[in-house]
Amino acid sequence: MRCSYIRLLVNDYEACFRFYADVLKLPVLWGDEVSRYAEFDVRSGTRLALNQREVMAEALETDTADPALPHQDRLAVIFEVDDVDETAAGLVASGARLVMEPRDWTAWGIRAAHFRDPDGYLLEVNSPLVPLV
């Protein structure tokens, strides 16, 4: 497993985008002020990503009142793996709490599964979808 992204799940996407792009002057690798998702170069093997909070909540079907989640997620740690299904099965067997089973997120270009750590933080394991030949 390789930590590939730290994803901030933000309320005011446009203001946050301008902050990281214009104030911190991080190079934008993907996205823009209105895309609701962007990636920034932080000069390491791990990227910083911004995601509109509601987009992630809708994708994970956590946009309803859940007593275990008094507030929507604010952060996700993303790990790139070779095989999402195998990794997810191993994590479940080891006791990880599954949030969303492995599935293809074609709009995102990845196969991913989502988990929560013991404190409730959102974790994602993913791998790029391989284009059909």
Side-chain angles (χ1 to χ4, degrees), residues 71-83:
H71 305 287
Q72 283 298 331
D73 294 304
R74 301 288 299 179
L75 172 82
V77 181
I78 315 304
F79 295 96
E80 187 174 323
V81 298
D82 292 329
D83 186 317

Side-chain angles (χ1 to χ4, degrees), residues 62 64-73 97 116 120-121:
T62 60
T64 59
D66 181 345
L69 299 171
H71 305 287
Q72 283 298 331
D73 294 304
R97 185 169 57 147
R116 294 211 181 274
Y121 285 101

Side-chain angles (χ1 to χ4, degrees), residues 5 9-13 18-20 36-38 40 43 49 62 76 85 92 96-97 102 108 119-120 124 133:
Y5 292 89
L9 306 174
V10 300
N11 288 324
D12 190 341
Y13 175 83
R18 287 191 306 271
F19 176 81
Y20 288 100
R36 300 190 323 160
Y37 179 83
F40 297 90
R43 294 177 178 84
T62 60
D85 295 83
V92 168
R97 185 169 57 147
W108 299 354
D119 218 35
E124 175 180 295
V133 178

Side-chain angles (χ1 to χ4, degrees), residues 38-119:
E39 297 174 5
F40 297 90
D41 183 357
V42 291
R43 294 177 178 84
S44 76
T46 302
R47 293 181 179 183
L48 175 66
L50 297 180
N51 206 168
Q52 181 73 39
R53 259 174 113 190
E54 290 80 17
V55 171
M56 199 72 191
E58 289 168 10
L60 296 179
E61 301 171 358
T62 60
D63 55 345
T64 59
D66 181 345
L69 299 171
H71 305 287
Q72 283 298 331
D73 294 304
R74 301 288 299 179
L75 172 82
V77 181
I78 315 304
F79 295 96
E80 187 174 323
V81 298
D82 292 329
D83 186 317
V84 171
D85 295 83
E86 181 180 305
T87 301
L91 291 171
V92 168
S94 295
R97 185 169 57 147
L98 184 67
V99 173
M100 183 71 68
E101 292 186 9
R103 63 179 268 202
D104 291 347
W105 300 85
T106 53
W108 299 354
I110 58 172
R111 181 164 183 78
H114 295 86
F115 297 87
R116 294 211 181 274
D117 76 4
D119 218 35

